[in-house]
């Protein structure tokens, strides 16, 4: 880069973080203070705390949140779900997806700025550490230019901390899949276990690469959500914007032109390298840095706050805004319906499951003039407590046919939590009484709760 | 193109990366900005990886494809299991010896309670399946005969083949347990088959 060039300005036609030759324009984001920052930091602290604490919390002796993949079950806040409950994920995922859509259409990208894990770790953990070790924007730029052993040592220290943190996060993330006590016991064995070692190193590497170098590129080029912005927001969506009517024409003087003094503070504090004065852009992650930065300047020059603020496009242009609009009501109905269905299905899911199979290639056997059917009941206890199940023929089963005999060798089945077992039972009847297409009904009763499931099985014969 | 062209665009000559390509659809035009280098590295890297993968796995067949590798691994596991069984020297004597080992019998009893009591009842006195507490056997009275019946089943009588579900080790444990039932003569189903001559 020739020295005669002045600083490049972010514009709408290029990505500011990518240079003309395709190389990276690495941002050194300036510090910012203000009321939105306080909200944001509370959110980061809270979410980081949740991330660390959740695997440690136990409800009724079970982890509050545990996805046991090999055991094909999940413990979610006291509820136990098995693979038969997997369809519930449909309602949950669609509900959450729609929830984010609604949020975006009403309040823009607040998800990105306040809640997204990429931002929470980047702005809540890694950037403050970088700021602590390498100083503020001015010092970082100076040190980068200076080089030298002391600055390199500082850089090395930062990267060492980043690596260690990436490793810690990737390990702790596993505590959502393996109970943490078990996980901590497994850790010393990692070096001898190739798969576990490689995966933990892979995720450590990914996180380290993301937070030490890749950073906003994830949001700008990889994340699909930002790309949906233009289809989700409308004229009434509350977004972060620049009040063009009040700010233009920009002028260096406080008393001449509009309120914008073109101080570049909003650009210096932007973590994705945009100029908010160019309007709503795909790159904006709604982090509120530019609002607080501009408010600070406005206070200093004695002008009212809010030159950059949360408002709708309608608000910026006409000064009025509309919140409850058609889109809001349609989304609200859809969300209530989906979550209602989800809650209903979660509440009404069965506590045990019975599947009936027959021995392969052997629909019935003949013995001393009687037809005999063998059934295998696969009983599955879907709860967290030991259960006793009672198997019995339904009282009015197979009416009108004489001489039906049931053999239920194991009428009481005891099942440990989440355990399953196959139980065999037989039904037989005289050959002369056989009519095809008739069903037996068995009942399986949970002895503790008296919940009964009817199991209908077809009687097969010659 | 933006309405606020003068403020939204860095028009200085040295920053004019944005050549507009010569096509337009519904008013949408495309810039010819340079792609990020990291993006290009991923693209070239993927192409090289693809070529190497193609050569190694498909053309030169230096390495097995995933499915073939899976089959090889399964085969190796089966062979290892067979070798382990051969090393144990599974025969009538070993099974008799097992039936004298308390832990083995207890393991067999546990499996028995889960899978066998349905037909043979709790003490082996038989209901659908034959009585195992007498000294009469339908399919041979040697321990290895019992093990084979457990492995392969007797389809015509409703006895399932257990090898797939239990595997060899657990089937052997059940055999060991059954051997402890012999001659306990629990009243139940009448003796079937040939009496054993010791």
């Amino acid at each position: 880069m020739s020295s005669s060039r002045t600083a490049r300005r972010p514009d709408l036609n290029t990505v500011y973080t990518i240079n003309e030759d395709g190389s990276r324009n690495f941002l050194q984001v300036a510090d910012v203070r203000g009321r939105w920052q306080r909200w944001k930091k509370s959110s980061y602290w809270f979410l980081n705390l949740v991330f660390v604490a959740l695997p440690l919390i136990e409800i009724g002796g079970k982890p509050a949140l545990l996805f046991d993949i090999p055991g094909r079950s999940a413990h979610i806040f006291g509820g136990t779900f098995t693979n038969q409950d997997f369809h519930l994920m449909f309602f949950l995922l669609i509900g959450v997806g729609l929830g984010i859509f609604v949020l975006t259409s009403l309040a823009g990208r607040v998800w990105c700025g306040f809640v997204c894990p990429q931002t929470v770790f980047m702005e809540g953990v890694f950037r403050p550490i970088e700021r602590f070790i390498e100083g503020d924007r001015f010092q970082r730029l100076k040190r980068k230019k200076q080089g030298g052993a002391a600055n390199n040592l500082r850089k090395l220290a930062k990267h060492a901390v980043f690596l260690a943190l990436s490793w810690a996060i990737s390990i702790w993330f596993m505590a959502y899949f393996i109970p943490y006590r078990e996980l901590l016991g497994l850790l010393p064995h990692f070096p001898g276990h190739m798969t576990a070692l490689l995966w933990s190193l892979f995720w450590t590497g990914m996180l380290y690469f993301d937070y030490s170098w890749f950073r906003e590129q994830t949001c700008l080029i990889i994340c699909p959500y930002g790309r949906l912005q233009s289809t989700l927001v409308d004229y009434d969506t509350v977004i972060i914007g620049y009040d063009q009517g009040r700010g233009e024409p920009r002028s260096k003087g406080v008393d001449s032109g509009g309120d914008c003094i073109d101080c570049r503070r909003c650009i210096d504090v932007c973590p994705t390298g945009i100029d908010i004065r160019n309007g709503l852009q795909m790159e904006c992650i709604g982090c509120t840095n530019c609002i607080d930065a501009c408010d600070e300047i406005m206070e200093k020059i004695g002008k009212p706050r809010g030159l950059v603020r949360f408002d709708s496009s309608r608000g910026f242009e006409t000064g009025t805004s509309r919140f409850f609009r058609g889109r809001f009501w349609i989304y609200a109905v859809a969300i209530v319906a989906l979550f209602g269905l989800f809650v209903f299905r979660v509440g009404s899911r069965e506590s045990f499951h019975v599947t009936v199979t027959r021995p392969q290639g052997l629909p019935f056997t003949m013995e001393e003039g009687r037809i005999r059917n063998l059934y295998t009941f696969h009983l599955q206890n879907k709860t967290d407590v030991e259960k006793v199940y009672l198997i019995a023929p339904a009282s009015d089963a197979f009416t009108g046919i004489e001489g039906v005999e049931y053999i239920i060798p194991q009428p009481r089945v005891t099942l440990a939590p989440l355990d399953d077992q196959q139980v065999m039972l037989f039904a037989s009847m005289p050959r002369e009484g056989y009519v095809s297409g008739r069903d037996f009904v068995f009942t399986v009763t949970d002895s503790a709760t008296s919940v009964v499931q009817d199991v209908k099985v077809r009687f097969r014969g010659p | 193109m933006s309405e606020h062209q003068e403020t939204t665009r860095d028009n200085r000559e040295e920053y004019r990366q944005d050549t507009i390509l010569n096509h337009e659809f519904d008013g949408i035009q495309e810039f010819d900005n340079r792609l990020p280098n990291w993006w290009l590295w991923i693209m070239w890297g993927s192409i090289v990886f693809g070529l190497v993968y193609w050569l190694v796995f498909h053309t030169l067949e230096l390495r097995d494809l995933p499915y073939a590798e899976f089959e090889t691994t399964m085969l190796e596991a089966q062979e290892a299991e067979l070798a382990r069984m051969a090393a144990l020297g599974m025969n009538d004597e070993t099974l008799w010896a097992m039936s004298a080992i308390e832990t083995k019998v207890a393991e067999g009893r546990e499996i028995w309670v889960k899978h066998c009591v349905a037909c043979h009842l709790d003490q082996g006195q038989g209901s659908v399946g034959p009585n195992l507490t007498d000294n009469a056997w339908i399919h041979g009275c040697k321990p290895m005969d019992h093990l084979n019946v457990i492995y392969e089943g007797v389809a015509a009588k409703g006895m399932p083949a257990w090898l797939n579900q239990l595997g060899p080790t657990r089937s052997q444990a059940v055999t060991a347990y059954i051997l402890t039932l012999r001659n306990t003569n629990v009243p139940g189903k009448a003796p079937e088959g040939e009496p054993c001559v010791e």
Side-chain angles (χ1 to χ4, degrees):
Chain A
M1 207 181 268
S2 77
S3 54
S4 65
R5 287 187 171 190
T6 46
R8 181 179 157 203
R9 265 193 347 237
D11 62 32
L12 280 184
N13 299 356
T14 58
V15 177
Y16 185 64
T17 47
I18 302 298
N19 288 322
E20 209 177 339
D21 59 357
S23 63
R24 179 73 176 284
N25 181 20
F26 200 87
L27 299 174
Q28 300 292 352
V29 180
D31 296 343
V32 58
R33 273 177 208 85
R35 51 190 174 139
W36 287 107
Q37 303 307 306
R38 283 195 289 279
W39 277 109
K40 230 167 56 169
K41 281 195 180 114
S42 324
S43 172
Y44 298 161
W45 273 105
F46 173 72
L47 290 170
N48 275 317
L49 192 75
V50 166
F51 173 70
V52 174
L54 215 45
L56 298 173
I57 298 170
E58 287 183 351
I59 297 174
K62 294 277 170 191
L65 197 60
L66 181 78
F67 301 96
D68 180 0
I69 291 172
R72 283 175 293 175
S73 62
H75 302 279
I76 302 169
F77 303 117
T80 303
F81 297 83
T82 59
N83 49 346
Q84 287 92 356
D85 303 320
F86 200 74
H87 67 280
L88 295 170
M89 287 295 283
F90 168 78
F91 300 106
L92 188 66
L93 289 180
I94 297 276
V96 168
L98 195 68
I100 293 181
F101 277 23
V102 175
L103 194 66
T104 314
S105 79
L106 300 178
R109 305 258 294 273
V110 285
W111 163 269
C112 295
F114 288 75
V115 193
C116 177
Q118 166 79 15
T119 309
V120 171
F121 285 130
M122 183 73 244
E123 309 298 334
V125 179
F126 286 90
R127 217 189 288 280
I129 290 171
E130 183 175 73
R131 167 75 177 78
F132 178 74
I133 298 177
E134 293 191 316
D136 61 16
R137 170 183 155 88
F138 178 72
Q139 283 170 308
R140 286 201 301 272
L141 285 170
K142 200 175 80 182
R143 290 201 163 109
K144 204 174 176 182
K145 216 168 150 189
Q146 265 175 356
N151 288 334
N152 282 337
L153 207 65
R154 219 177 267 277
K155 203 171 177 179
L156 195 72
K158 179 187 84 174
H159 283 283
V161 174
F162 276 17
L163 253 178
L165 258 175
S166 304
W167 182 78
I169 292 173
S170 69
I171 292 292
W172 198 241
F173 186 60
M174 288 189 214
Y176 286 83
F177 301 91
I178 306 167
Y180 76 99
R181 286 194 191 91
E182 214 175 301
L183 176 70
L184 296 180
L186 281 173
L187 276 186
H189 302 291
F190 266 43
H193 195 302
M194 215 40 185
T195 318
L197 185 69
L198 283 179
W199 275 107
S200 72
L201 289 183
F202 173 75
W203 284 111
T204 305
M206 290 294 275
L207 290 174
Y208 170 70
F209 172 72
D210 187 26
Y211 294 119
S212 69
W213 190 79
F214 206 55
R215 299 189 169 182
E216 78 288 342
Q217 300 290 300
T218 304
C219 313
L220 306 194
I221 305 182
I222 296 197
C223 181
Y225 171 53
R227 309 257 154 191
L228 292 171
Q229 175 172 265
S230 58
T231 64
L232 296 176
V233 301
D234 62 10
Y235 197 48
D236 292 301
T237 302
V238 175
I239 50 168
I240 295 175
Y242 161 69
D243 194 336
Q244 216 146 27
R246 201 187 126 188
E248 301 293 306
R250 301 166 199 179
S251 65
K252 283 289 176 195
V254 173
D255 300 317
S256 61
D259 280 357
C260 177
I261 57 168
D262 208 9
C263 66
R264 292 183 60 103
R265 262 293 278 172
C266 56
I267 301 171
D268 287 348
V269 299
C270 180
T272 62
I274 57 168
D275 185 342
I276 194 66
R277 296 171 300 174
N278 291 342
L280 181 65
Q281 289 151 76
M282 196 279 295
E283 290 94 326
C284 178
I285 56 167
C287 76
T288 68
N289 280 6
C290 50
I291 300 181
D292 284 332
C294 190
D295 280 352
E296 203 181 359
I297 297 292
M298 286 299 119
E299 261 167 38
K300 273 186 189 153
I301 64 170
K303 295 269 168 69
R305 286 167 159 194
L307 179 58
V308 178
R309 63 174 188 271
F310 271 117
D311 205 343
S312 62
S313 300
R314 188 191 298 277
F316 280 117
E317 278 172 32
T318 66
T320 57
S321 45
R322 226 157 50 103
F323 187 75
F324 297 103
R325 48 199 196 274
R327 181 185 287 249
F328 172 86
W329 294 113
I330 292 168
Y331 279 146
V333 167
I335 274 202
V336 167
L338 273 166
F339 276 104
L341 254 171
F342 175 69
V343 169
F344 171 73
R345 295 297 305 230
V346 167
S348 63
R349 70 193 201 278
E350 55 184 12
S351 65
F352 62 98
H353 191 74
V354 188
T355 319
V356 183
T357 54
R358 295 160 181 278
Q360 234 175 30
L362 199 73
F364 61 90
T365 50
M366 299 293 300
E367 211 142 295
E368 294 152 12
R370 295 180 73 83
I371 309 166
R372 191 158 73 194
N373 275 209
L374 166 62
Y375 307 104
T376 306
F377 278 28
H378 186 184
L379 258 68
Q380 194 163 16
N381 178 2
K382 292 172 66 182
T383 66
D384 265 342
V385 286
E386 188 177 278
K387 293 272 190 177
V388 176
Y389 298 103
L390 308 174
I391 306 175
S395 52
D396 58 345
F398 216 46
T399 44
I401 308 288
E402 301 282 308
V404 181
E405 278 173 21
Y406 302 96
I407 305 172
I408 307 176
Q410 252 183 302
R412 284 173 69 88
V413 183
T414 310
L415 280 184
L418 292 177
D419 201 8
D420 63 301
Q421 189 179 326
Q422 291 188 6
V423 179
M424 289 179 187
L425 44 89
F426 302 87
S428 72
M429 64 180 301
R431 173 160 192 173
E432 53 269 23
Y434 176 72
V435 184
S436 70
R438 304 301 286 265
D439 293 323
F440 285 105
V441 179
F442 290 93
T443 57
V444 179
T445 314
D446 179 339
S447 63
T449 59
S450 302
V451 172
V452 181
Q453 278 192 29
D454 289 336
V455 183
K456 210 158 117 182
V457 287
R458 173 79 22 126
F459 190 86
R460 299 271 178 222
Chain B
M1 292 268 104
S2 167
E3 311 163 36
H4 314 292
Q5 194 64 51
E6 285 320 302
T7 54
T8 57
R9 182 172 176 187
D10 207 336
N11 277 315
R12 285 168 293 177
E13 196 53 43
E14 64 262 41
Y15 296 122
R16 286 293 298 274
Q17 342 175 5
D18 48 336
T19 318
I20 293 173
L21 292 176
N22 193 22
H23 54 227
E24 184 184 331
F25 298 98
D26 295 338
I28 298 169
Q29 285 177 287
E30 191 185 359
F31 291 126
D32 191 17
N33 294 339
R34 169 86 185 225
L35 284 163
N37 288 350
W38 62 259
W39 194 96
L40 287 169
W41 277 114
I42 292 175
M43 184 185 74
W44 293 122
S46 305
I47 290 172
V48 170
F49 176 84
L51 278 174
V52 171
Y53 186 92
W54 180 24
L55 275 172
V56 169
F57 283 88
H58 290 277
T59 310
L60 301 175
E61 291 177 4
L62 296 177
R63 297 285 302 272
D64 278 343
L65 285 166
Y67 192 70
E69 198 179 312
F70 168 75
E71 284 189 327
T72 315
T73 314
M74 291 302 279
L75 215 65
E76 276 168 11
Q78 264 178 32
E79 273 165 15
E81 182 62 33
L82 284 174
R84 209 171 61 82
M85 278 172 65
L88 281 174
M90 197 47 61
N91 54 37
D92 291 339
E93 282 72 39
T94 0
L95 285 169
W96 275 121
M98 272 186 183
S99 74
I101 302 168
E102 234 169 85
T103 51
K104 211 47 176 176
V105 173
E107 187 194 340
R109 165 78 193 168
E110 215 169 278
I111 300 158
W112 172 269
V113 169
K114 271 198 164 181
H115 299 291
C116 312
V117 292
C119 302
H120 297 283
L121 300 197
D122 188 57
Q123 290 165 292
Q125 67 268 46
S127 75
V128 176
N131 192 333
L132 301 180
T133 65
D134 51 33
N135 199 27
W137 299 90
I138 305 170
H139 304 288
C141 59
K142 290 200 177 80
M144 283 303 278
D145 297 331
H146 305 342
L147 184 60
N148 279 330
V149 169
I150 293 170
Y151 275 173
E152 282 151 33
V154 184
K157 295 279 192 168
M159 169 80 178
W162 292 98
L163 183 58
N164 279 339
Q165 202 183 329
L166 294 179
T169 319
R170 299 208 295 158
S171 302
Q172 288 152 19
V174 177
T175 312
Y177 174 70
I178 290 168
L179 291 173
T180 67
L181 299 178
R182 191 183 283 204
N183 289 325
T184 53
N185 292 314
V186 181
K189 215 174 177 191
E192 295 165 277
E194 298 297 312
C196 244
V197 188
E198 302 271 337

